[in-house]
Amino acid sequence: MTEPATNEFPEPATLRLFFALWPDDATRDALNRTGKWLHQHWGGRPMRVETVHITLAFLGETPAERLDDLVACADAARSDGFELILDQAGYWRHNRIGWLGASQTPPQYVELVGALNAALQGAGFPVDSRPHVPHVTLLRKSPGGEALACKPVRWPIGDFVLVKSATGSEGAHYDVIRRWSLA
C-alpha cells in the first residue's frame, strides 16, 4: 500500500536572512529613477526595483530554528524614526557596484545599527565589525565612471524588516518576514 502524496514541502533547515531598511513606494520610485539615471552614465546591470534596500545586518545562512532569537534581537533594538537623505552617488571598483548613499549619517541610524548588532552579538550571531555605511546598491557589473552629483532621495525611516533571500534563475528574490516600527 502506498501513502497518499502531499503538497507539503519540508521547511528548509537554514534560511538566508538579513535585517534591512525597506523603502515605501514613493522612495522606491525615487531610487528607481536615480538607478536609471546612473545606468545611463555608468552602464552595468540595474537592480530590480523590488529588491532595493539598505542592509542593516547580514546574517547569511541561519538555522530556521533561530528565527525566534532573531525576533527577540529585533525587539530589543530601539531607535526613533528619522529621515535618511541619500545624496551621494558612488562606485566600488572591487565589486563593480554603483550605489547611492548618505553624505551624513543620522544619529538614529547609527543607534539602530548599533543596538541591532549588540543584540545579535549577545545572542551568538556573527556581526560585521566594519564601519557601517548606509547605501543602496543600484547597479551591478558596472564599469563605473567619474563621481556624479545627483538629485537627493529623501527617505522617511519609520521601521525596519527581517528579510529572507532566495536565489533563482532571475536573481535574488526577497520576502519580508517581519517588520518592526521605530518610535
Side-chain angles (χ1 to χ4, degrees):
M1 184 166 148
T2 61
E3 292 187 32
T6 66
N7 291 332
E8 292 184 31
F9 295 98
E11 286 294 317
T14 63
L15 302 169
R16 188 168 173 85
L17 301 171
F18 61 93
F19 284 103
L21 298 178
W22 206 254
D24 58 25
D25 290 340
T27 304
R28 183 175 288 108
D29 288 345
L31 290 168
N32 190 41
R33 284 190 301 275
T34 301
K36 287 178 178 179
W37 178 80
L38 272 178
H39 182 257
Q40 289 175 346
H41 294 278
W42 290 348
R45 181 174 54 86
M47 297 299 296
R48 293 188 331 272
V49 67
E50 68 272 12
T51 66
V52 295
H53 65 278
I54 292 178
T55 302
L56 298 173
F58 181 75
L59 302 159
E61 294 296 328
T62 304
E65 70 229 16
R66 300 251 10 232
L67 271 176
D68 288 341
D69 296 331
L70 290 173
V71 168
C73 290
D75 287 345
R78 292 285 163 234
S79 175
D80 291 331
F82 56 97
E83 181 177 62
L84 187 60
I85 300 173
L86 301 170
D87 59 353
Q88 186 174 34
Y91 175 73
W92 287 321
R93 186 177 315 278
H94 71 283
N95 56 8
R96 301 178 58 207
I97 286 179
W99 51 268
L100 185 64
S103 61
Q104 295 185 350
T105 304
Q108 299 93 331
Y109 180 90
V110 175
E111 179 182 17
L112 175 59
V113 171
L116 188 55
N117 281 339
L120 290 168
Q121 192 169 30
F125 290 99
V127 174
D128 190 348
S129 60
R130 295 176 294 183
H132 199 273
V133 180
H135 70 280
V136 177
T137 298
L138 295 175
L139 300 173
R140 293 195 181 276
K141 298 183 180 179
S142 172
E146 66 180 74
L148 300 169
C150 65
K151 182 178 179 182
V153 173
R154 301 177 91 77
W155 183 347
I157 307 294
D159 59 13
F160 68 100
V161 297
L162 178 62
V163 180
K164 177 177 72 169
S165 170
T167 304
S169 60
E170 296 178 10
H173 174 76
Y174 300 144
D175 289 314
V176 173
I177 295 175
R178 184 149 175 199
R179 188 175 298 270
W180 286 265
S181 291
L182 299 175

